[in-house]
């Protein structure tokens, strides 16, 4: 096993994250794990850097068990994870550090300033892999990609704000970072923040009476990129701060780029003046990728690995993981890491086993049949007893088939058990329903989108 090798460390860590991401709530993943990096893999210890002491403490106390389990899954027994705060050499975490790190005047690590050491700072801020060059363009994301390109080329000129909307794991954050890379290259101040960070900083600024410096910092941006705006829902005070920041920048011709995991029309719970501002720019959505695009993405990602991945394996993965590119990437990382650790070739056989594992350790444990029925029922507006009943209306039949499809994909239930849950149907009816959805999902955008949305709800509620 390679030791001290940062590349190896990165692969292992990404395999671990791929597993953990599917087992913990999305919001926890984003808050605590998304901005971690593997530094080295020395002996039996994987050294991970985290942005601040607060994050380190949280991970240590709350997430270490799942992380350790996933690491063992990837690398075998006898290995462990050590945390270190970004830019600090010691791995020791002192509780008194925490207050320093959440101080609003020192915690704002995302701002890039016009300083001599700008490029050094910048390289830490934006994910180096999230560039336009690394983004695979297909029908599903073409419009969002062109919008992002246009904005990066002439900020503030055409589409302001640019709003990117899609389900989770489909490339919003990637495009936001790509714009920031491009803008920074042009010497512009690019400020990227998640809406969650923005909120936390705003609240702290109010508490500590430093709203003026908070404003200054954001308003100095040439391009302000705010990720996951849906986080503003229900946070009236922050909406106020956001609105003023938005206006100040917009009025001085600065570019705003915003992402949302809901359509702007669903953001009506935000203040109307915010939604109307958002709708006034260019709103583009990213659809779930087609099989062809998923394959292209896998090919592009796999070119960075120095190992053979048979075509049939790529096809299997692309067929299996439909809705989420992060998950697609996670499964690729996992099989590569596994084959490297075990010193075996990647084959369809080994991959099937590895993938069964991923499902087994995540979805099936968390998603139960009731949750699926509730989500399907809410999504289509069909009462649960209709799903279980004998009704043959087209919408009811379709909802029932989607329920069958999800029950089979997301749980370990047998066909006859699924039949039982759905009002005593036999196993061949269930199989027929499953096949209907499985075969149509590739061709029918609406159906694919329905299934994706229900899955997203399931991930959020479990
Ligand atoms: P979102 O912000 O929409 O949840 P991300 O931007 O975090 O999704 O994307 C999830 C992962 O998928 C990232 O690793 C990203 O690089 C990758 N990804 C998404 N879309 C593409 C694409 N079109 N080409 C290459 N990689 C992509
Ligand atoms: Mg994102």
């Amino acid at each position: 096993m390679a030791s001290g090798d940062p590349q190896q460390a990165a692969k292992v860590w990404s395999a671990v994250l791929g597993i953990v991401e599917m087992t913990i709530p999305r919001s926890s993943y984003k808050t605590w794990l998304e901005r971690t990096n593997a530094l080295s893999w020395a002996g039996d210890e994987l050294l991970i850097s985290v942005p601040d002491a607060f994050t380190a403490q949280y991970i240590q106390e709350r997430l270490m068990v799942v992380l350790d389990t996933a690491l063992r899954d990837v690398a075998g027994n006898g290995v462990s994870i050590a945390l270190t705060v970004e830019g600090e050499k010691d791995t020791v975490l002192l509780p008194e550090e925490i207050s320093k790190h959440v101080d609003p005047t020192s915690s704002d690590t995302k701002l890039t300033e016009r300083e001599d050491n700008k490029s050094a700072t910048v390289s830490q801020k934006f994910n180096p892999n999230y560039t336009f060059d690394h983004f695979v363009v297909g029908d599903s994301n073409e419009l969002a990609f062109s919008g992002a390109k246009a904005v990066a080329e002439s900020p503030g000129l055409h589409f302001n704000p640019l709003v990117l909307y899609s389900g989770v794991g489909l490339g919003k954050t990637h495009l936001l970072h790509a714009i920031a890379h491009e803008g920074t290259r042009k010497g512009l101040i690019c400020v990227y923040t998640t809406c969650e960070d923005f909120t936390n900083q705003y609240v702290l600024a109010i508490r500590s009476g430093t709203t003026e410096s908070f404003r200054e910092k954001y308003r100095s941006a040439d391009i302000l990129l705010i990720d996951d705006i849906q986080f503003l829902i229900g946070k009236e005070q922050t909406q106020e701060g956001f609105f003023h920041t938005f206006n100040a920048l917009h009025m001085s011709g600065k570019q705003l780029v915003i992402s949302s995991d809901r359509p702007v029309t669903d953001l009506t719970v935000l203040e109307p003046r915010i939604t109307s501002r958002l709708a006034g720019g260019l709103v583009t959505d990213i659809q779930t990728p087609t099989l062809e695009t998923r394959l292209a993405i896998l090919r592009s990602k796999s070119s960075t690995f120095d190992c053979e991945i048979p075509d049939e394996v790529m096809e299997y993965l692309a067929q299996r993981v439909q809705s989420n590119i992060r998950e697609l990437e996670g499964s690729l990382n996992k099989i590569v890491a596994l084959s490297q650790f075990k010193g075996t070739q990647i084959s369809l056989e080994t991959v099937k086993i590895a993938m069964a594992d991923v499902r087994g350790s995540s979805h099936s444990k968390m998603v139960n049949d009731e949750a699926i029925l509730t989500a399907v029922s809410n999504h289509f507006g069909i009462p649960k007893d209709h799903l279980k009943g004998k009704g043959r209306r087209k919408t009811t039949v379709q909802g029932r088939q989607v329920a069958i499809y999800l029950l089979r994909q997301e749980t370990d239930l047998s066909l006859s058990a699924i039949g039982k849950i759905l009002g005593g149907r036999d196993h061949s009816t269930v199989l027929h329903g499953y096949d209907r959805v499985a075969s149509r999902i590739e061709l029918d955008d609406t159906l694919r989108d329905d299934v994706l949305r229900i899955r997203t709800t399931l991930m959020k509620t479990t």
Side-chain angles (χ1 to χ4, degrees), residues 64 80 207 253 299 316 356-357 422:
M64 207 39 114
S80 62
R207 251 185 236 152
R299 295 221 163 87
Y316 174 79
D357 219 37
L422 289 168

Side-chain angles (χ1 to χ4, degrees), residues 91-132:
T91 54
V92 197
L93 304 163
L94 306 170
E96 61 268 25
E97 285 288 287
I98 293 166
S99 52
K100 187 182 105 200
H101 281 272
V102 292
D103 175 342
T105 52
S106 69
S107 74
D108 192 350
T109 51
K110 292 206 173 52
L111 295 172
T112 50
E113 279 151 23
R114 287 189 220 267
E115 287 171 356
D116 292 345
N117 63 349
K118 189 173 68 182
S119 57
T121 352
V122 170
S123 62
Q124 294 167 355
K125 308 303 174 212
F126 310 126
N127 187 324
N129 296 318
Y130 290 2
T131 61
F132 285 124

Side-chain angles (χ1 to χ4, degrees), residues 48 87 114 138 181 195 205 223 287 301 306 320 359 367 383 401 440 452:
I48 302 301
R114 287 189 220 267
H181 279 298
C195 198
I223 305 182
Q287 303 284 335
K301 305 266 174 198
D306 51 359
R320 174 97 199 221
R359 289 281 162 184
V367 183
Q401 289 174 341
R440 275 179 49 217
L452 168 65

